[in-house]
């Protein structure tokens, strides 16, 4: 394993932007660490430290780094799609592009969904589902929202890349302007349901910044960071936007679900900040040992992300089973326990990664596109997107009772969401296999 990793790292092309790989794994790492840090167990279940100590919500301006991951995705998607177009200029490459970009994402995700779905069914057949088990069945699927949004970004890459190639910053400006208009309609005109459009406008605008980076057009990162930070601060101070850049229990307005203009400004400042660090980051990654660590981490990052809440809740369940009473959150004793809880979660996550990492291995090289498979791939990714988003909302609890959650005005149950996700994935795989040259 160590030898394979060394060889893989040494074979990295000199043209590869290693800093992007660092940003990808670092952003997921910050999200995982933030979840572990902010989880607070009480007698009522698992809560959020930020709700217990609201003044700590300012930390989300550093810990909410999903915009960085989506920004990096835009950069990588642009390079990948253009590469396929150059190799197959006379064919539609959409289906092959989807399969290539989603293979390492959906295979570990489907493994996670099937394992948890089977476990939830067994638990409920035997009359379980209370206590920490019930909390786990409800919570472990929530981070899947991120994968659903990422699927949408991949799906819309070809048309949005064409808009970028024609309009450049104008394409980003149109998406940002649409996000602002949605918030005006939401908060000033009280138009119902319009806020859900910002799941597309806000995150696709951040994704569009990745296209701009791919073309070397992010030339003033300091100005971008300053404008984003000033905009977010002004919107929070003067508008109806909360301080937290993640969702808080019981809040009337969330910057996350659905996203707001304040979250888009937050994304701008984060993108500007990480671009300012590109020079030092690139120099650091010239060290062979550092680069090997990034390569190794990228090989397991998605698996670790999918299973990190399972590990955390497993640690809490073990302490509860051992008869240990939960420490009151945010007290000195609670903070003293934090390193031990995180260390235990790291160990359990490492065990789960060792068990499931095989699903994240890269597949074979892309095949030649087959004409007429684009509609099949588009149908597949749409089904997969709605299935995964639906599962993130409904969770694995209440399988036998028919529990549902509303997704775009449609009630979705966990079995239906799993069926859509699996069916969509199989369609994407079938359409993107192509033919061998």
């Amino acid at each position: 394993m160590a030898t394979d990793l060394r060889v893989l790292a040494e074979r990295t092309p000199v043209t590869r932007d290693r800093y992007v790989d660092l940003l990808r794994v670092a952003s997921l790492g910050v999200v995982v660490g933030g979840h572990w840090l902010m989880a607070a167990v009480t007698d009522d279940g698992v809560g959020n430290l930020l709700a217990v100590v609201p003044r700590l919500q300012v930390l989300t301006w550093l810990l909410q780094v999903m915009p960085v991951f989506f920004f990096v995705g835009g950069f990588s998607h642009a390079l990948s799609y253009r590469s396929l177009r150059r190799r197959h200029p006379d064919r539609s490459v959409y289906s092959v592009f989807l399969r290539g970009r989603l293979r390492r994402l959906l295979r570990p995700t489907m493994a996670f969904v099937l394992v948890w779905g089977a476990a939830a069914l067994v638990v409920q057949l035997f009359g379980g589902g209370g206590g920490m088990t019930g909390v786990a069945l409800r919570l472990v699927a929530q981070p899947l929202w991120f994968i659903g949004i990422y699927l949408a970004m991949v799906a819309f890459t070809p048309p949005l890349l064409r808009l970028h190639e024609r309009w450049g910053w104008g394409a980003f400006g149109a998406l940002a302007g649409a996000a602002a208009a949605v918030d005006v309609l939401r908060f000033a005109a009280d138009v119902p349901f319009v806020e859900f459009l910002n799941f597309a406008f806000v995150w696709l605008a951040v994704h569009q910044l990745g296209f701009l980076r791919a073309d070397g057009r992010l030339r003033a990162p300091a100005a971008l960071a300053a404008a984003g930070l000033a905009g977010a601060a002004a919107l929070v101070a003067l508008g109806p936007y909360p301080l937290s850049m993640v969702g808080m229990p019981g809040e009337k307005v969330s910057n996350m679900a659905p996203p707001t203009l304040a979250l888009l400004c937050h994304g701008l400042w984060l993108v500007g900040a990480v671009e300012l660090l590109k020079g030092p980051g690139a120099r650091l990654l010239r060290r062979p040992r550092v680069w090997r660590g990034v390569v190794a981490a990228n090989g397991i990052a998605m698996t670790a992300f999918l299973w990190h809440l399972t590990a955390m809740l497993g640690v809490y369940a073990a302490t509860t089973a051992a008869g240990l009473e939960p420490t009151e959150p945010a007290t000195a004793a609670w903070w003293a326990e934090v390193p031990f809880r995180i260390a235990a979660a790291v160990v359990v996550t490492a065990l789960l990664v060792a068990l499931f990492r095989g699903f994240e291995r890269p597949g074979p090289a892309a095949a030649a596109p087959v004409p007429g498979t684009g509609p099949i791939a588009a149908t597949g990714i749409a089904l997969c997107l709605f299935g995964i988003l639906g599962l993130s909302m409904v969770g694995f609890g209440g399988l036998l009772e028919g529990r549902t959650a509303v997704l775009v005005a449609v009630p979705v149950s966990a079995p239906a969401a799993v069926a859509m996700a699996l069916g969509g994935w199989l369609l994407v795989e079938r359409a993107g296999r192509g033919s061998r040259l």
Side-chain angles (χ1 to χ4, degrees), residues 46-78:
V46 179
N48 192 319
L49 176 67
L50 302 179
V52 178
V53 190
R55 66 178 180 275
L56 293 179
Q57 292 177 14
V58 71
L59 293 177
T60 62
W61 290 49
L62 294 174
L63 297 178
Q64 169 51 291
V65 293
M66 275 305 182
V68 175
F69 190 90
F70 293 148
F71 162 66
V72 167
F75 175 87
S76 300
H77 299 159

PDB file of all heavy atoms in Angstrom, residues 46-78:
ATOM      1  N   VAL A  46     -28.956  14.424  20.834  1.00  0.00           N
ATOM      2  CA  VAL A  46     -27.788  15.100  20.289  1.00  0.00           C
ATOM      3  C   VAL A  46     -28.212  16.456  19.765  1.00  0.00           C
ATOM      4  O   VAL A  46     -29.078  16.558  18.888  1.00  0.00           O
ATOM      5  CB  VAL A  46     -27.137  14.278  19.162  1.00  0.00           C
ATOM      6  CG1 VAL A  46     -25.924  15.019  18.593  1.00  0.00           C
ATOM      7  CG2 VAL A  46     -26.716  12.909  19.681  1.00  0.00           C
ATOM      8  N   GLY A  47     -27.617  17.500  20.312  1.00  0.00           N
ATOM      9  CA  GLY A  47     -27.919  18.855  19.889  1.00  0.00           C
ATOM     10  C   GLY A  47     -26.723  19.519  19.249  1.00  0.00           C
ATOM     11  O   GLY A  47     -25.728  18.879  18.903  1.00  0.00           O
ATOM     12  N   ASN A  48     -26.813  20.833  19.091  1.00  0.00           N
ATOM     13  CA  ASN A  48     -25.770  21.616  18.435  1.00  0.00           C
ATOM     14  C   ASN A  48     -25.185  22.593  19.440  1.00  0.00           C
ATOM     15  O   ASN A  48     -25.914  23.385  20.048  1.00  0.00           O
ATOM     16  CB  ASN A  48     -26.354  22.367  17.235  1.00  0.00           C
ATOM     17  CG  ASN A  48     -25.273  22.951  16.345  1.00  0.00           C
ATOM     18  OD1 ASN A  48     -24.274  23.482  16.810  1.00  0.00           O
ATOM     19  ND2 ASN A  48     -25.472  22.848  15.043  1.00  0.00           N
ATOM     20  N   LEU A  49     -23.875  22.537  19.605  1.00  0.00           N
ATOM     21  CA  LEU A  49     -23.204  23.442  20.541  1.00  0.00           C
ATOM     22  C   LEU A  49     -23.507  24.901  20.223  1.00  0.00           C
ATOM     23  O   LEU A  49     -23.631  25.741  21.128  1.00  0.00           O
ATOM     24  CB  LEU A  49     -21.697  23.197  20.488  1.00  0.00           C
ATOM     25  CG  LEU A  49     -20.823  24.133  21.333  1.00  0.00           C
ATOM     26  CD1 LEU A  49     -21.077  23.903  22.816  1.00  0.00           C
ATOM     27  CD2 LEU A  49     -19.349  23.927  21.003  1.00  0.00           C
ATOM     28  N   LEU A  50     -23.651  25.225  18.936  1.00  0.00           N
ATOM     29  CA  LEU A  50     -23.882  26.610  18.536  1.00  0.00           C
ATOM     30  C   LEU A  50     -25.250  27.109  18.986  1.00  0.00           C
ATOM     31  O   LEU A  50     -25.449  28.313  19.141  1.00  0.00           O
ATOM     32  CB  LEU A  50     -23.755  26.751  17.022  1.00  0.00           C
ATOM     33  CG  LEU A  50     -22.405  26.330  16.434  1.00  0.00           C
ATOM     34  CD1 LEU A  50     -22.412  26.500  14.925  1.00  0.00           C
ATOM     35  CD2 LEU A  50     -21.273  27.131  17.056  1.00  0.00           C
ATOM     36  N   ALA A  51     -26.198  26.188  19.168  1.00  0.00           N
ATOM     37  CA  ALA A  51     -27.502  26.587  19.695  1.00  0.00           C
ATOM     38  C   ALA A  51     -27.435  26.791  21.202  1.00  0.00           C
ATOM     39  O   ALA A  51     -28.157  27.616  21.767  1.00  0.00           O
ATOM     40  CB  ALA A  51     -28.549  25.528  19.350  1.00  0.00           C
ATOM     41  N   VAL A  52     -26.542  26.045  21.860  1.00  0.00           N
ATOM     42  CA  VAL A  52     -26.367  26.185  23.314  1.00  0.00           C
ATOM     43  C   VAL A  52     -25.611  27.469  23.636  1.00  0.00           C
ATOM     44  O   VAL A  52     -25.934  28.175  24.597  1.00  0.00           O
ATOM     45  CB  VAL A  52     -25.619  24.957  23.872  1.00  0.00           C
ATOM     46  CG1 VAL A  52     -25.378  25.107  25.374  1.00  0.00           C
ATOM     47  CG2 VAL A  52     -26.404  23.687  23.587  1.00  0.00           C
ATOM     48  N   VAL A  53     -24.603  27.779  22.825  1.00  0.00           N
ATOM     49  CA  VAL A  53     -23.781  28.985  23.032  1.00  0.00           C
ATOM     50  C   VAL A  53     -23.827  29.818  21.756  1.00  0.00           C
ATOM     51  O   VAL A  53     -22.936  29.714  20.898  1.00  0.00           O
ATOM     52  CB  VAL A  53     -22.326  28.622  23.391  1.00  0.00           C
ATOM     53  CG1 VAL A  53     -21.556  29.864  23.835  1.00  0.00           C
ATOM     54  CG2 VAL A  53     -22.273  27.551  24.466  1.00  0.00           C
ATOM     55  N   PRO A  54     -24.861  30.640  21.575  1.00  0.00           N
ATOM     56  CA  PRO A  54     -25.038  31.355  20.302  1.00  0.00           C
ATOM     57  C   PRO A  54     -23.852  32.230  19.893  1.00  0.00           C
ATOM     58  O   PRO A  54     -23.627  32.430  18.700  1.00  0.00           O
ATOM     59  CB  PRO A  54     -26.296  32.201  20.553  1.00  0.00           C
ATOM     60  CG  PRO A  54     -27.042  31.453  21.610  1.00  0.00           C
ATOM     61  CD  PRO A  54     -25.994  30.873  22.493  1.00  0.00           C
ATOM     62  N   ARG A  55     -23.101  32.749  20.868  1.00  0.00           N
ATOM     63  CA  ARG A  55     -21.988  33.624  20.480  1.00  0.00           C
ATOM     64  C   ARG A  55     -20.913  32.880  19.692  1.00  0.00           C
ATOM     65  O   ARG A  55     -20.100  33.507  19.004  1.00  0.00           O
ATOM     66  CB  ARG A  55     -21.383  34.273  21.727  1.00  0.00           C
ATOM     67  CG  ARG A  55     -20.705  33.320  22.693  1.00  0.00           C
ATOM     68  CD  ARG A  55     -20.103  34.066  23.879  1.00  0.00           C
ATOM     69  NE  ARG A  55     -19.447  33.181  24.832  1.00  0.00           N
ATOM     70  CZ  ARG A  55     -20.060  32.544  25.809  1.00  0.00           C
ATOM     71  NH1 ARG A  55     -21.377  32.706  25.971  1.00  0.00           N
ATOM     72  NH2 ARG A  55     -19.391  31.758  26.643  1.00  0.00           N
ATOM     73  N   LEU A  56     -20.909  31.561  19.783  1.00  0.00           N
ATOM     74  CA  LEU A  56     -19.936  30.775  19.022  1.00  0.00           C
ATOM     75  C   LEU A  56     -20.330  30.622  17.553  1.00  0.00           C
ATOM     76  O   LEU A  56     -19.541  30.086  16.760  1.00  0.00           O
ATOM     77  CB  LEU A  56     -19.771  29.389  19.645  1.00  0.00           C
ATOM     78  CG  LEU A  56     -19.135  29.323  21.037  1.00  0.00           C
ATOM     79  CD1 LEU A  56     -19.064  27.881  21.513  1.00  0.00           C
ATOM     80  CD2 LEU A  56     -17.732  29.944  21.018  1.00  0.00           C
ATOM     81  N   GLN A  57     -21.495  31.108  17.181  1.00  0.00           N
ATOM     82  CA  GLN A  57     -21.927  30.963  15.795  1.00  0.00           C
ATOM     83  C   GLN A  57     -21.018  31.699  14.817  1.00  0.00           C
ATOM     84  O   GLN A  57     -20.984  31.374  13.628  1.00  0.00           O
ATOM     85  CB  GLN A  57     -23.375  31.441  15.643  1.00  0.00           C
ATOM     86  CG  GLN A  57     -24.378  30.533  16.346  1.00  0.00           C
ATOM     87  CD  GLN A  57     -25.800  31.036  16.250  1.00  0.00           C
ATOM     88  OE1 GLN A  57     -26.114  31.918  15.448  1.00  0.00           O
ATOM     89  NE2 GLN A  57     -26.676  30.470  17.073  1.00  0.00           N
ATOM     90  N   VAL A  58     -20.273  32.651  15.290  1.00  0.00           N
ATOM     91  CA  VAL A  58     -19.325  33.345  14.414  1.00  0.00           C
ATOM     92  C   VAL A  58     -18.262  32.381  13.875  1.00  0.00           C
ATOM     93  O   VAL A  58     -17.659  32.631  12.822  1.00  0.00           O
ATOM     94  CB  VAL A  58     -18.675  34.527  15.167  1.00  0.00           C
ATOM     95  CG1 VAL A  58     -17.713  34.031  16.240  1.00  0.00           C
ATOM     96  CG2 VAL A  58     -17.968  35.469  14.192  1.00  0.00           C
ATOM     97  N   LEU A  59     -18.037  31.264  14.578  1.00  0.00           N
ATOM     98  CA  LEU A  59     -17.071  30.274  14.101  1.00  0.00           C
ATOM     99  C   LEU A  59     -17.478  29.669  12.762  1.00  0.00           C
ATOM    100  O   LEU A  59     -16.631  29.171  12.020  1.00  0.00           O
ATOM    101  CB  LEU A  59     -16.905  29.152  15.143  1.00  0.00           C
ATOM    102  CG  LEU A  59     -16.268  29.520  16.474  1.00  0.00           C
ATOM    103  CD1 LEU A  59     -16.252  28.315  17.406  1.00  0.00           C
ATOM    104  CD2 LEU A  59     -14.850  30.049  16.267  1.00  0.00           C
ATOM    105  N   THR A  60     -18.771  29.730  12.449  1.00  0.00           N
ATOM    106  CA  THR A  60     -19.207  29.164  11.172  1.00  0.00           C
ATOM    107  C   THR A  60     -18.663  29.947   9.992  1.00  0.00           C
ATOM    108  O   THR A  60     -18.652  29.444   8.865  1.00  0.00           O
ATOM    109  CB  THR A  60     -20.743  29.109  11.086  1.00  0.00           C
ATOM    110  OG1 THR A  60     -21.285  30.442  11.159  1.00  0.00           O
ATOM    111  CG2 THR A  60     -21.318  28.268  12.218  1.00  0.00           C
ATOM    112  N   TRP A  61     -18.186  31.168  10.229  1.00  0.00           N
ATOM    113  CA  TRP A  61     -17.600  31.951   9.139  1.00  0.00           C
ATOM    114  C   TRP A  61     -16.233  31.382   8.743  1.00  0.00           C
ATOM    115  O   TRP A  61     -15.669  31.754   7.707  1.00  0.00           O
ATOM    116  CB  TRP A  61     -17.487  33.412   9.537  1.00  0.00           C
ATOM    117  CG  TRP A  61     -18.839  34.092   9.635  1.00  0.00           C
ATOM    118  CD1 TRP A  61     -19.937  33.634  10.297  1.00  0.00           C
ATOM    119  CD2 TRP A  61     -19.225  35.319   9.029  1.00  0.00           C
ATOM    120  NE1 TRP A  61     -20.977  34.505  10.155  1.00  0.00           N
ATOM    121  CE2 TRP A  61     -20.576  35.556   9.389  1.00  0.00           C
ATOM    122  CE3 TRP A  61     -18.565  36.253   8.243  1.00  0.00           C
ATOM    123  CZ2 TRP A  61     -21.265  36.681   8.967  1.00  0.00           C
ATOM    124  CZ3 TRP A  61     -19.257  37.387   7.826  1.00  0.00           C
ATOM    125  CH2 TRP A  61     -20.595  37.595   8.184  1.00  0.00           C
ATOM    126  N   LEU A  62     -15.722  30.482   9.566  1.00  0.00           N
ATOM    127  CA  LEU A  62     -14.489  29.758   9.228  1.00  0.00           C
ATOM    128  C   LEU A  62     -14.757  28.280   8.937  1.00  0.00           C
ATOM    129  O   LEU A  62     -14.097  27.678   8.089  1.00  0.00           O
ATOM    130  CB  LEU A  62     -13.473  29.872  10.367  1.00  0.00           C
ATOM    131  CG  LEU A  62     -12.905  31.260  10.668  1.00  0.00           C
ATOM    132  CD1 LEU A  62     -12.034  31.206  11.914  1.00  0.00           C
ATOM    133  CD2 LEU A  62     -12.104  31.784   9.483  1.00  0.00           C
ATOM    134  N   LEU A  63     -15.722  27.697   9.644  1.00  0.00           N
ATOM    135  CA  LEU A  63     -15.950  26.253   9.560  1.00  0.00           C
ATOM    136  C   LEU A  63     -16.912  25.859   8.446  1.00  0.00           C
ATOM    137  O   LEU A  63     -16.914  24.704   8.028  1.00  0.00           O
ATOM    138  CB  LEU A  63     -16.477  25.724  10.902  1.00  0.00           C
ATOM    139  CG  LEU A  63     -15.520  25.862  12.093  1.00  0.00           C
ATOM    140  CD1 LEU A  63     -16.183  25.358  13.374  1.00  0.00           C
ATOM    141  CD2 LEU A  63     -14.218  25.110  11.838  1.00  0.00           C
ATOM    142  N   GLN A  64     -17.734  26.777   7.971  1.00  0.00           N
ATOM    143  CA  GLN A  64     -18.648  26.462   6.868  1.00  0.00           C
ATOM    144  C   GLN A  64     -17.882  26.624   5.549  1.00  0.00           C
ATOM    145  O   GLN A  64     -17.844  27.691   4.941  1.00  0.00           O
ATOM    146  CB  GLN A  64     -19.870  27.380   6.900  1.00  0.00           C
ATOM    147  CG  GLN A  64     -20.773  27.335   5.672  1.00  0.00           C
ATOM    148  CD  GLN A  64     -21.200  25.953   5.266  1.00  0.00           C
ATOM    149  OE1 GLN A  64     -20.405  25.155   4.799  1.00  0.00           O
ATOM    150  NE2 GLN A  64     -22.484  25.657   5.435  1.00  0.00           N
ATOM    151  N   VAL A  65     -17.218  25.551   5.131  1.00  0.00           N
ATOM    152  CA  VAL A  65     -16.316  25.624   3.979  1.00  0.00           C
ATOM    153  C   VAL A  65     -16.836  24.822   2.787  1.00  0.00           C
ATOM    154  O   VAL A  65     -16.083  24.578   1.836  1.00  0.00           O
ATOM    155  CB  VAL A  65     -14.899  25.143   4.359  1.00  0.00           C
ATOM    156  CG1 VAL A  65     -14.254  26.093   5.348  1.00  0.00           C
ATOM    157  CG2 VAL A  65     -14.933  23.725   4.905  1.00  0.00           C
ATOM    158  N   MET A  66     -18.109  24.424   2.801  1.00  0.00           N
ATOM    159  CA  MET A  66     -18.651  23.741   1.635  1.00  0.00           C
ATOM    160  C   MET A  66     -18.522  24.573   0.355  1.00  0.00           C
ATOM    161  O   MET A  66     -18.336  24.010  -0.737  1.00  0.00           O
ATOM    162  CB  MET A  66     -20.109  23.347   1.870  1.00  0.00           C
ATOM    163  CG  MET A  66     -20.258  22.023   2.595  1.00  0.00           C
ATOM    164  SD  MET A  66     -19.393  20.681   1.736  1.00  0.00           S
ATOM    165  CE  MET A  66     -19.793  19.298   2.770  1.00  0.00           C
ATOM    166  N   PRO A  67     -18.614  25.923   0.426  1.00  0.00           N
ATOM    167  CA  PRO A  67     -18.381  26.689  -0.802  1.00  0.00           C
ATOM    168  C   PRO A  67     -17.025  26.402  -1.450  1.00  0.00           C
ATOM    169  O   PRO A  67     -16.917  26.407  -2.675  1.00  0.00           O
ATOM    170  CB  PRO A  67     -18.477  28.146  -0.329  1.00  0.00           C
ATOM    171  CG  PRO A  67     -19.396  28.103   0.835  1.00  0.00           C
ATOM    172  CD  PRO A  67     -19.074  26.802   1.524  1.00  0.00           C
ATOM    173  N   VAL A  68     -16.004  26.131  -0.640  1.00  0.00           N
ATOM    174  CA  VAL A  68     -14.693  25.820  -1.200  1.00  0.00           C
ATOM    175  C   VAL A  68     -14.739  24.512  -1.986  1.00  0.00           C
ATOM    176  O   VAL A  68     -14.180  24.407  -3.083  1.00  0.00           O
ATOM    177  CB  VAL A  68     -13.622  25.761  -0.086  1.00  0.00           C
ATOM    178  CG1 VAL A  68     -12.272  25.312  -0.647  1.00  0.00           C
ATOM    179  CG2 VAL A  68     -13.488  27.114   0.599  1.00  0.00           C
ATOM    180  N   PHE A  69     -15.429  23.521  -1.448  1.00  0.00           N
ATOM    181  CA  PHE A  69     -15.524  22.238  -2.148  1.00  0.00           C
ATOM    182  C   PHE A  69     -16.254  22.401  -3.472  1.00  0.00           C
ATOM    183  O   PHE A  69     -15.849  21.844  -4.500  1.00  0.00           O
ATOM    184  CB  PHE A  69     -16.243  21.209  -1.270  1.00  0.00           C
ATOM    185  CG  PHE A  69     -16.180  19.817  -1.819  1.00  0.00           C
ATOM    186  CD1 PHE A  69     -15.148  18.962  -1.471  1.00  0.00           C
ATOM    187  CD2 PHE A  69     -17.152  19.350  -2.701  1.00  0.00           C
ATOM    188  CE1 PHE A  69     -15.074  17.662  -1.990  1.00  0.00           C
ATOM    189  CE2 PHE A  69     -17.094  18.067  -3.224  1.00  0.00           C
ATOM    190  CZ  PHE A  69     -16.052  17.222  -2.869  1.00  0.00           C
ATOM    191  N   PHE A  70     -17.332  23.174  -3.496  1.00  0.00           N
ATOM    192  CA  PHE A  70     -18.083  23.374  -4.724  1.00  0.00           C
ATOM    193  C   PHE A  70     -17.289  24.215  -5.731  1.00  0.00           C
ATOM    194  O   PHE A  70     -17.386  24.001  -6.939  1.00  0.00           O
ATOM    195  CB  PHE A  70     -19.431  24.028  -4.416  1.00  0.00           C
ATOM    196  CG  PHE A  70     -20.366  23.145  -3.625  1.00  0.00           C
ATOM    197  CD1 PHE A  70     -21.262  23.694  -2.736  1.00  0.00           C
ATOM    198  CD2 PHE A  70     -20.354  21.772  -3.775  1.00  0.00           C
ATOM    199  CE1 PHE A  70     -22.139  22.900  -2.012  1.00  0.00           C
ATOM    200  CE2 PHE A  70     -21.222  20.957  -3.058  1.00  0.00           C
ATOM    201  CZ  PHE A  70     -22.113  21.519  -2.180  1.00  0.00           C
ATOM    202  N   PHE A  71     -16.520  25.164  -5.246  1.00  0.00           N
ATOM    203  CA  PHE A  71     -15.627  25.957  -6.091  1.00  0.00           C
ATOM    204  C   PHE A  71     -14.588  25.063  -6.760  1.00  0.00           C
ATOM    205  O   PHE A  71     -14.366  25.139  -7.971  1.00  0.00           O
ATOM    206  CB  PHE A  71     -14.967  27.029  -5.213  1.00  0.00           C
ATOM    207  CG  PHE A  71     -13.730  27.654  -5.772  1.00  0.00           C
ATOM    208  CD1 PHE A  71     -13.780  28.447  -6.912  1.00  0.00           C
ATOM    209  CD2 PHE A  71     -12.506  27.479  -5.139  1.00  0.00           C
ATOM    210  CE1 PHE A  71     -12.619  29.043  -7.417  1.00  0.00           C
ATOM    211  CE2 PHE A  71     -11.354  28.071  -5.632  1.00  0.00           C
ATOM    212  CZ  PHE A  71     -11.412  28.852  -6.780  1.00  0.00           C
ATOM    213  N   VAL A  72     -13.982  24.188  -5.983  1.00  0.00           N
ATOM    214  CA  VAL A  72     -13.010  23.236  -6.527  1.00  0.00           C
ATOM    215  C   VAL A  72     -13.684  22.309  -7.538  1.00  0.00           C
ATOM    216  O   VAL A  72     -13.105  21.957  -8.576  1.00  0.00           O
ATOM    217  CB  VAL A  72     -12.355  22.439  -5.385  1.00  0.00           C
ATOM    218  CG1 VAL A  72     -11.584  21.243  -5.918  1.00  0.00           C
ATOM    219  CG2 VAL A  72     -11.436  23.340  -4.574  1.00  0.00           C
ATOM    220  N   GLY A  73     -14.931  21.918  -7.247  1.00  0.00           N
ATOM    221  CA  GLY A  73     -15.658  21.083  -8.190  1.00  0.00           C
ATOM    222  C   GLY A  73     -15.828  21.759  -9.536  1.00  0.00           C
ATOM    223  O   GLY A  73     -15.661  21.125 -10.585  1.00  0.00           O
ATOM    224  N   GLY A  74     -16.146  23.046  -9.537  1.00  0.00           N
ATOM    225  CA  GLY A  74     -16.287  23.771 -10.795  1.00  0.00           C
ATOM    226  C   GLY A  74     -14.998  23.761 -11.609  1.00  0.00           C
ATOM    227  O   GLY A  74     -15.018  23.560 -12.827  1.00  0.00           O
ATOM    228  N   PHE A  75     -13.883  23.977 -10.942  1.00  0.00           N
ATOM    229  CA  PHE A  75     -12.577  23.937 -11.607  1.00  0.00           C
ATOM    230  C   PHE A  75     -12.336  22.570 -12.243  1.00  0.00           C
ATOM    231  O   PHE A  75     -11.995  22.465 -13.432  1.00  0.00           O
ATOM    232  CB  PHE A  75     -11.488  24.253 -10.575  1.00  0.00           C
ATOM    233  CG  PHE A  75     -10.085  24.119 -11.099  1.00  0.00           C
ATOM    234  CD1 PHE A  75      -9.472  25.177 -11.735  1.00  0.00           C
ATOM    235  CD2 PHE A  75      -9.389  22.944 -10.947  1.00  0.00           C
ATOM    236  CE1 PHE A  75      -8.165  25.066 -12.221  1.00  0.00           C
ATOM    237  CE2 PHE A  75      -8.094  22.808 -11.420  1.00  0.00           C
ATOM    238  CZ  PHE A  75      -7.482  23.873 -12.065  1.00  0.00           C
ATOM    239  N   SER A  76     -12.535  21.509 -11.481  1.00  0.00           N
ATOM    240  CA  SER A  76     -12.270  20.155 -11.974  1.00  0.00           C
ATOM    241  C   SER A  76     -13.241  19.755 -13.073  1.00  0.00           C
ATOM    242  O   SER A  76     -12.856  19.109 -14.060  1.00  0.00           O
ATOM    243  CB  SER A  76     -12.349  19.154 -10.820  1.00  0.00           C
ATOM    244  OG  SER A  76     -11.404  19.457  -9.814  1.00  0.00           O
ATOM    245  N   HIS A  77     -14.515  20.127 -12.947  1.00  0.00           N
ATOM    246  CA  HIS A  77     -15.499  19.771 -13.957  1.00  0.00           C
ATOM    247  C   HIS A  77     -15.197  20.448 -15.285  1.00  0.00           C
ATOM    248  O   HIS A  77     -15.361  19.837 -16.359  1.00  0.00           O
ATOM    249  CB  HIS A  77     -16.902  20.154 -13.485  1.00  0.00           C
ATOM    250  CG  HIS A  77     -17.316  19.448 -12.238  1.00  0.00           C
ATOM    251  ND1 HIS A  77     -18.312  19.927 -11.412  1.00  0.00           N
ATOM    252  CD2 HIS A  77     -16.863  18.309 -11.659  1.00  0.00           C
ATOM    253  CE1 HIS A  77     -18.457  19.099 -10.389  1.00  0.00           C
ATOM    254  NE2 HIS A  77     -17.588  18.123 -10.517  1.00  0.00           N
ATOM    255  N   ALA A  78     -14.747  21.698 -15.231  1.00  0.00           N
ATOM    256  CA  ALA A  78     -14.401  22.398 -16.470  1.00  0.00           C
ATOM    257  C   ALA A  78     -13.262  21.690 -17.190  1.00  0.00           C
ATOM    258  O   ALA A  78     -13.317  21.470 -18.409  1.00  0.00           O
ATOM    259  CB  ALA A  78     -14.033  23.846 -16.165  1.00  0.00           C
TER     260      ALA A  78
END
